[in-house]
Amino acid sequence: MNAERRPRIGVLALQGAVREHVTAIREVGAEPVEVRLPRDLVDLDALILPGGESTTMRHLIDAYNLREPIAAMARAGTPLLGTCAGMILLANRIADGDEPVFGLLDLEVRRNGYGRQLDSFEADLDAPSLGEGPLHGVFIRAPMVSATGPDVEILARDPDGRPVAVRQGRVLATAFHPELTGDRRIHRLLAEMVEGARRPA
Ligand code: GLN
């Protein structure tokens, strides 16, 4: 058992918004690990799939043979967090065509669902289960969650009431970029999920 050491949290570093996640991981007291090859996944306590471009990421995940080892980590109960494009990679339904990648979250996402005129926007999000005060969300060509299954817990909603942060078991996802603000509640929750996963059931 490694209950004493700092959790090691990986960030898939093939493409996209990696550096700010690395900073956020340090700020919640965990050790960041940049993941480019299957061997980088060894001994990770959690993994973040960052924002970026989900089509590019999907190709790179297969080019670097990361799909099966990441799926195996999830099956073994390792906590995962997907942000923006990462949420798309975790969803089991992608509206308008694309095949799911990991299919670990029972929800439907629509890529760029907030529309072109809202390429980027920020909003205060209602997130009562994450503690006091709204969560500030930075959305960049964000996916829109168009449906959620019964096992999906909604942690935050946009001003129109749509889910933008969700959890299903040990899989967490946000449509926004939690690494781009100083609010560390999402990364802290991931670190807490690591503690929960380490405890014997
Ligand atoms: N629009 C991107 C996609 O569909 C996601 C954008 C992001 O991660 N900031 O892959």
Side-chain angles (χ1 to χ4, degrees), residues 42-196:
V42 174
D43 282 341
L44 288 187
D45 296 303
L47 178 66
I48 297 177
L49 308 176
E53 215 287 315
S54 59
T55 303
T56 307
M57 267 194 236
R58 150 199 307 268
H59 291 313
L60 292 173
I61 283 168
D62 286 331
Y64 288 89
N65 295 314
L66 286 159
R67 190 190 286 236
E68 179 45 34
I70 292 173
M73 281 173 76
R75 284 195 298 272
T78 305
L80 301 183
L81 163 64
T83 61
C84 202
M87 176 190 249
I88 298 168
L89 299 177
L90 291 172
N92 67 4
R93 278 163 289 150
I94 303 172
D96 298 329
D98 287 341
E99 285 297 309
V101 179
F102 294 113
L104 293 165
L105 277 178
D106 186 15
L107 51 78
E108 181 183 78
V109 287
R110 185 172 298 277
R111 293 181 63 196
N112 306 305
Y114 286 89
R116 286 180 181 281
Q117 67 280 36
L118 285 177
D119 237 18
S120 272
F121 66 101
E122 301 189 13
D124 280 332
L125 308 169
D126 189 30
S129 62
L130 294 173
E132 289 266 308
L135 194 62
H136 192 69
V138 178
F139 294 78
I140 305 169
R141 291 181 293 285
M144 183 180 277
V145 176
S146 39
T148 54
D151 296 331
V152 175
E153 185 188 349
I154 295 166
L155 303 178
R157 293 180 185 273
D158 73 13
D160 293 325
R162 293 189 198 89
V164 291
V166 294
R167 176 178 180 172
Q168 183 174 354
R170 288 181 180 150
V171 182
L172 190 60
T174 63
F176 56 94
H177 283 257
E179 76 283 8
L180 294 182
T181 62
D183 190 324
R184 294 293 174 240
R185 277 179 277 177
I186 296 289
H187 292 84
R188 204 169 298 126
L189 176 58
L190 183 67
E192 283 166 15
M193 285 160 62
V194 169
E195 296 305 319

Side-chain angles (χ1 to χ4, degrees), residues 8 33 35-44 64 66 69:
R8 299 176 81 236
V33 177
V35 171
R36 295 187 181 83
L37 295 170
R39 64 163 184 254
D40 301 327
L41 296 167
V42 174
D43 282 341
L44 288 187
Y64 288 89
L66 286 159

Side-chain angles (χ1 to χ4, degrees), residues 3-19:
E4 299 307 318
R5 69 167 166 79
R6 285 198 301 161
R8 299 176 81 236
I9 300 185
V11 186
L12 191 65
L14 303 174
Q15 192 260 344
V18 175
R19 204 184 44 195

